[in-house]
């Protein structure tokens, strides 16, 4: 076995080609980090050019008894591709095929295609997928999103990423290829095998291709924003908004984020992009100038002063459709809140996939988010418990310079995603240096290595995960950060373990995620 492991990188290079196998110290250091922390360095990183290359690499790893860990766009923060045992990391970013079938209304993409790249391919055709990506879609891959589950663009009308799939092609631990899609006519033909591989964090196999449905892009859109004095008023309003399903998407932030991360995204370059895209989307130049004038006159102070703000994007078949939806939305949201300048919503609408500057805080702090998905009946109770927790932790937070902000979104009409962002002063990692680049890092404050504050951030995050669990939370992007297996009832747990054993009898496929 030791000889097999020692010689595995060379065997992979012989099979795939040397260019598809990375062994350099700087490359291994980069891939050992995610946004938050780090794990053991891989024996090597493979970047197969096609599905056959993934299969060949999997067979060699299986023969050597070495763990296989898939990586998408890399913007993970839940230890999804970090592991502390010998392993080969599979970087799927070279799987870039996009095959569009307009007649049958589907698109088949390689797992390494980003949401931004897919949007660029579909926009000229007037097409889109129902769910069309997270805010990080400039880097987030479709394979990674399917593995992790995610929300954002299109979620108000069409739900999460897992709901916009027809089929998945997966390389299993023995190198065989499994296709969950029997037909592109429908996903639901007998038991839902496609659903089995959504949210699995790569525990059941390496995704190499995904087939998604296509719909016509709606040509008309508008945005609106609302402020709320307290969380209960905000939550009551957004729960009703979600139940009626009138918007394409919405997102909400607290005062800390509106004054920090979101405000930082609205610099001169961003404003130029907003102006250009508002003018491009307007039915005529006069209408576009009128909208820009409204945004300029409204200002942004109301948003930054609001304790909670909600930003809504509405799409429709024409202006009348959008106006009718917005009239009802305003009625819902102003019952407990007030309408404010729509700058944040307009920014996201004009630049849905912004650069990844937010992987650090507004003053260059280290950043890690975590989230829980709560039934509406539990969300207010969790919010109160979280505020009590902050009060208890405030002296230690002050001592380490740690602060938090929160962001929210609905999960259909039945749940609320409550995301907490944690910031603390600390040195950047190889991940940040490569993703952000030296030019950008030179424009923000730099901090010395701060192991004490970093250790507190780890404890703080773990305590919040426990608090969320105590209030019945579910999670996306489970990785190794959130409990899962122990939350299942015994019969469901046994079924999942038996499935894992059937597909991966030696537990070589991303061992440890989901608790497997």
């Amino acid at each position: 076995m030791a000889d097999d492991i020692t010689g595995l990188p060379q065997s992979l290079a012989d099979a795939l080609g040397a260019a598809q196998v990375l062994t350099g110290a700087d490359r291994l250091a980069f891939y050992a980090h995610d946004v938050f922390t780090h794990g053991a360095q891989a024996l090597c990183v493979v970047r197969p050019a096609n599905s056959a290359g993934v299969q060949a690499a999997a067979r060699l790893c299986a023969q050597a008894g070495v763990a296989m860990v898939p990586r998408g766009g890399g913007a993970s923060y839940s230890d999804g591709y970090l592991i502390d045992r010998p392993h080969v990391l599979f970087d799927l970013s070279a799987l870039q095929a996009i095959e569009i079938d307009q007649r049958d209304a589907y698109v088949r993409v390689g797992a390494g295609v980003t949401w931004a790249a897919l949007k660029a391919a579909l926009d000229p055709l007037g097409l889109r997928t129902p769910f069309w990506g997270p805010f990080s879609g400039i880097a987030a891959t479709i394979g990674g999103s399917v593995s992790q589950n995610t929300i954002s663009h299109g979620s108000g009308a069409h739900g999460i990423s897992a709901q916009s799939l027809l089929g998945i092609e997966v390389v299993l631990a023995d190198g065989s290829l499994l296709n969950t899609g029997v037909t592109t006519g429908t996903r639901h033909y007998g038991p839902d095998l496609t659903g089995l591989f959504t949210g699995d964090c790569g525990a059941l196999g390496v995704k190499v291709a995904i087939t998604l449905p296509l719909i016509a892009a709606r040509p008309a859109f508008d945005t609106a924003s609302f402020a709320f004095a307290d969380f209960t008023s905000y939550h009551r309003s957004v729960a009703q908004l979600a139940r009626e399903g009138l918007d394409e998407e919405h997102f909400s932030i607290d005062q800390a984020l509106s004054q920090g991360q979101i405000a930082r995204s609205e610099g001169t370059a961003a404003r130029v992009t907003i102006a250009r895209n508002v003018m491009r989307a307007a039915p005529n130049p006069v209408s576009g100038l009128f909208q820009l004038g409204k945004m300029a006159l409204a200002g942004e102070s109301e948003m930054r002063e609001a304790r909670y703000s909600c930003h809504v994007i509405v799409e429709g078949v024409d202006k009348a459709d959008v106006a009718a939806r917005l009239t009802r939305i305003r009625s819902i949201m102003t019952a407990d809140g007030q309408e404010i300048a729509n700058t944040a919503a307009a920014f996201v609408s004009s630049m849905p996939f912004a650069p990844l500057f937010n992987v650090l805080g507004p003053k260059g702090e280290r950043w890690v988010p975590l989230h829980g998905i709560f039934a509406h009946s539990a969300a207010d109770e969790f919010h109160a418990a979280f505020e009590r927790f902050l009060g208890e932790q405030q002296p230690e937070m002050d001592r380490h310079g740690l602060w938090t902000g929160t962001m929210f979104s609905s999960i259909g009409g039945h749940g609320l995603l409550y995301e907490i962002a944690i910031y603390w002063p600390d040195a950047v990692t190889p991940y940040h240096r490569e993703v952000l680049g030296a030019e950008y890092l030179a424009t923000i404050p730099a901090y010395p290595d701060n192991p004490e504050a970093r250790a507190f951030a780890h404890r703080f995050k773990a305590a919040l995960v426990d608090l969320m669990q105590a209030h019945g939370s579910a999670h996306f992007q489970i990785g190794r950060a959130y409990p899962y297996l122990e939350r299942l009832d015994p019969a469901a747990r046994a079924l999942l373990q038996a499935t894992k054993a059937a597909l991966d009898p030696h537990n070589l496929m991303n061992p440890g995620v989901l608790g497997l």
Side-chain angles (χ1 to χ4, degrees):
M1 186 73 71
D3 290 341
D4 291 338
I5 291 176
T6 301
L8 183 57
Q10 185 58 55
S11 298
L12 289 164
D14 292 342
L16 276 66
Q20 296 178 39
V21 180
L22 310 179
T23 57
D26 63 329
R27 296 291 76 209
L28 297 184
F30 168 70
Y31 282 101
H33 286 78
D34 69 1
V35 173
F36 177 41
T37 188
H38 64 88
Q41 290 190 6
L43 297 172
C44 63
V45 175
V46 294
R47 298 186 73 248
N50 50 42
S51 297
V54 177
Q55 291 183 265
R59 292 189 190 100
L60 288 170
C61 289
Q63 291 168 10
V66 171
M68 295 164 263
V69 178
R71 181 185 187 272
S76 169
Y77 40 77
S78 57
D79 304 348
Y81 60 85
L82 304 184
I83 185 172
D84 289 322
R85 61 180 271 189
H87 66 285
V88 170
L89 191 141
F90 282 60
D91 176 352
L92 285 309
S93 61
L95 303 182
Q96 288 290 315
I98 300 177
E99 303 165 15
I100 302 169
D101 189 316
Q102 295 188 67
R103 181 178 183 184
D104 286 336
Y106 72 86
V107 57
R108 178 183 177 273
V109 300
V113 173
T114 65
W115 292 99
L118 179 58
K119 177 175 167 55
L122 294 175
D123 277 353
L125 304 176
L127 296 171
R128 51 168 277 202
T129 55
F131 171 86
W132 52 278
F135 293 145
S136 59
I138 195 170
T141 64
I142 296 170
S145 297
V146 171
S147 288
Q148 299 276 24
N149 284 335
T150 188
I151 64 167
S152 287
H153 298 307
S155 288
H158 302 284
I160 72 170
S161 55
Q163 294 169 264
S164 289
L165 299 175
L166 290 174
I168 307 173
E169 294 163 50
V170 186
V171 172
L172 303 179
D174 63 358
S176 59
L177 182 66
L178 180 152
N179 189 342
T180 69
V182 179
T183 170
T184 56
T186 179
R187 166 173 162 181
H188 303 286
Y189 180 38
D192 185 12
L193 297 181
T194 297
L196 181 64
F197 291 89
T198 65
D200 74 329
C201 300
L204 302 180
V206 178
K207 295 165 187 66
V208 292
I210 299 95
T211 301
L212 306 100
L214 294 174
I215 60 175
R218 290 178 171 171
F221 80 94
D222 204 347
T223 62
S225 295
F226 305 89
F228 299 88
D230 56 72
F231 179 81
T232 301
S233 297
Y234 153 74
H235 179 212
R236 181 166 51 243
S237 300
V238 82
Q240 183 63 33
L241 172 67
R243 279 192 290 271
E244 296 199 18
L246 297 165
D247 64 310
E248 190 66 21
E249 63 190 82
H250 61 265
F251 63 97
S252 310
I253 53 178
D254 70 358
Q255 192 173 49
L257 287 189
S258 68
Q259 294 178 348
Q261 290 286 59
I262 303 302
R264 183 182 68 176
S265 300
E266 295 172 358
T268 302
R271 294 175 191 277
V272 169
T273 300
I274 290 174
R276 181 174 64 246
N277 288 341
V278 167
M279 292 296 293
R280 184 180 298 156
N284 58 68
V286 173
S287 175
L289 289 171
F290 178 71
Q291 173 65 10
L292 288 174
K294 283 201 307 180
M295 292 165 60
L297 289 171
E300 300 156 10
S301 61
E302 290 173 313
M303 183 188 80
R304 294 178 185 170
E305 292 169 4
R307 290 200 64 193
Y308 299 93
S309 58
C310 181
H311 309 279
V312 182
I313 299 172
V314 181
E315 294 183 0
V317 296
D318 54 28
K319 290 174 61 177
D321 183 17
V322 171
R325 290 169 182 264
L326 271 175
T327 296
R328 176 55 184 158
I329 289 170
R330 289 188 170 105
S331 175
I332 294 169
M333 303 300 275
T334 57
D336 288 310
Q338 63 175 346
E339 188 165 5
I340 60 174
N342 67 343
T343 311
F347 171 78
V348 171
S349 181
S350 66
M351 190 185 292
F353 304 127
L356 297 183
F357 297 146
N358 286 353
V359 297
L360 292 177
K363 296 182 180 179
E365 307 99 325
R366 288 283 298 280
W367 165 82
V368 63
L370 70 156
H371 72 276
I373 302 162
F374 299 92
H376 286 298
S377 59
D380 288 346
E381 292 180 7
F382 171 77
H383 176 75
F386 174 54
E387 291 201 320
R388 289 193 298 270
F389 174 84
L390 291 180
E392 296 164 359
Q393 295 291 320
Q394 199 62 55
E396 281 294 285
M397 293 170 64
D398 292 342
R399 187 166 80 86
H400 294 292
L402 184 147
W403 62 282
T404 66
T406 49
M407 186 171 181
F408 317 93
S409 186
S410 297
I411 306 294
H414 48 273
L416 183 76
L417 184 141
Y418 193 119
E419 182 171 298
I420 302 168
I422 303 170
Y423 304 91
W424 74 99
D426 200 355
V428 298
T429 71
Y431 175 89
H432 302 104
R433 286 193 288 273
E434 178 156 330
V435 168
L436 297 175
E439 183 177 352
Y440 174 77
L441 290 175
T443 68
I444 58 175
Y447 300 93
D449 190 51
N450 195 344
E452 188 178 0
R454 186 161 62 249
F456 177 64
H458 277 269
R459 296 193 302 272
F460 189 88
K461 177 175 179 279
L464 283 176
V465 171
D466 290 343
L467 186 65
M468 289 176 171
Q469 289 285 301
H471 288 80
S473 65
H475 306 276
F476 297 148
Q477 305 175 32
I478 297 168
R480 296 171 177 82
Y482 299 107
Y484 172 71
L485 194 65
E486 56 267 45
R487 288 282 300 275
L488 301 178
D489 71 46
R493 187 183 313 132
L495 176 61
L496 180 61
Q497 290 172 323
T499 302
K500 170 72 168 175
L503 298 176
D504 181 17
H506 302 294
N507 196 24
L508 297 178
M509 193 58 68
N510 210 5
V513 293
L514 307 185
L516 293 167

